[in-house]
Amino acid sequence: MITMPQVIFTCHTHGGDVERIDVTETIESMSTADLFDLTDDSPEIHAIARAYSDTDFNHVFGTSSIHEWLDSFLDDDETLAYLSDDLVTLSRLAGNSSSSVRLLASGNPFTPRPAINRLCLDSDKQVAIESAKHLRVSYRGHLALIAKAADWSTEDREELVTAIVYNPRALPIALSKAAALSDDASTRHVVEARLKARKLARLPH
């Protein structure tokens, strides 16, 4: 599971309108990505953030305003790997030295296929497994990862098999080879059902 840092804050409302935000209380939590969307889309929240920037935000984040904090947040490689839709940026981040950045890039739906295929052979198993889950990974990427997983622990192999088996675009050869790695009967049954469904779909109606 990929999680982003949490920002704790409280919205005080009156008659349906937001009056102020306190970030020193803990009634509601929101991901930083959602917070960015909220502040980016709402002039009212911008105004409230400015009013409270010298007290609440400085106290919690150590920056003079939410805008300064967001600027810093958005310059962070992990944030870019999680939020960016720029193919060049994501290709670069897929080769980042930090495994946490590569993990986030592997889960980003905009990361291009060549980068995802490289991440399938990542030295970090969780990065490789996360990459295997995605629609756009090529069958060569899956097969290369399956071959690499032969020496993995049973638990890691089963996690990889699950990732491939439940990828809707995994091709029959990848499904079959992944199932051969598994000791789980239910997983093999899912593969058999998928392969049978593909054959039935090709029959003339």
Side-chain angles (χ1 to χ4, degrees):
M1 176 69 71
I2 298 175
T3 57
M4 293 299 289
Q6 294 294 304
V7 177
I8 308 301
F9 71 99
T10 305
C11 285
H12 298 270
T13 63
H14 177 71
D17 297 322
V18 177
E19 288 188 329
R20 73 180 195 276
I21 298 177
D22 292 334
V23 294
T24 52
E25 298 179 26
T26 58
I27 294 176
E28 182 180 3
S29 66
M30 175 178 272
S31 72
T32 45
D34 289 340
L35 177 64
F36 172 70
D37 289 340
L38 178 67
T39 55
D40 190 50
D41 295 339
S42 172
E44 294 80 9
I45 297 296
H46 274 284
I48 293 166
R50 282 195 296 272
Y52 281 80
S53 63
D54 290 340
T55 53
D56 296 323
F57 277 92
N58 187 53
H59 174 72
V60 174
F61 299 111
T63 58
S64 61
S65 71
I66 186 175
H67 310 292
E68 181 181 328
W69 174 75
L70 283 170
D71 286 342
S72 174
F73 169 66
L74 290 170
D75 282 339
D76 180 73
D77 281 342
E78 287 192 8
T79 305
L80 285 172
Y82 182 71
L83 293 177
S84 180
D85 59 1
D86 180 73
L87 303 185
V88 174
T89 297
L90 289 168
S91 293
R92 174 178 62 81
L93 292 171
N96 193 279
S97 60
S98 168
S99 61
S100 61
V101 172
R102 299 195 306 276
L103 181 62
L104 289 165
S106 69
N108 187 313
F110 294 101
T111 300
R113 179 182 288 181
I116 287 292
N117 286 321
R118 290 196 304 273
L119 289 167
C120 277
L121 296 177
D122 197 89
S123 58
D124 187 293
K125 292 177 184 176
Q126 289 306 308
V127 173
I129 291 169
E130 181 66 27
S131 303
K133 296 177 182 179
H134 297 288
L135 295 177
R136 63 210 176 282
V137 64
S138 76
Y139 79 93
R140 290 186 181 89
H142 275 160
L143 295 182
L145 182 50
I146 291 167
K148 183 178 179 180
D151 296 329
W152 289 5
S153 68
T154 300
E155 183 179 353
D156 288 335
R157 285 201 310 270
E158 291 294 345
E159 190 175 356
L160 171 63
V161 169
T162 300
I164 293 174
V165 166
Y166 289 95
N167 182 324
R169 291 189 185 171
L171 293 181
I173 187 171
L175 291 172
S176 298
K177 287 184 176 294
L181 282 179
S182 177
D183 296 325
D184 185 79
S186 62
T187 298
R188 292 196 297 272
H189 179 73
V190 170
V191 171
E192 290 171 4
R194 285 195 60 185
L195 294 176
K196 184 176 180 180
R198 289 179 67 98
K199 289 180 181 178
L200 289 174
R202 291 181 181 146
L203 293 175
H205 297 285

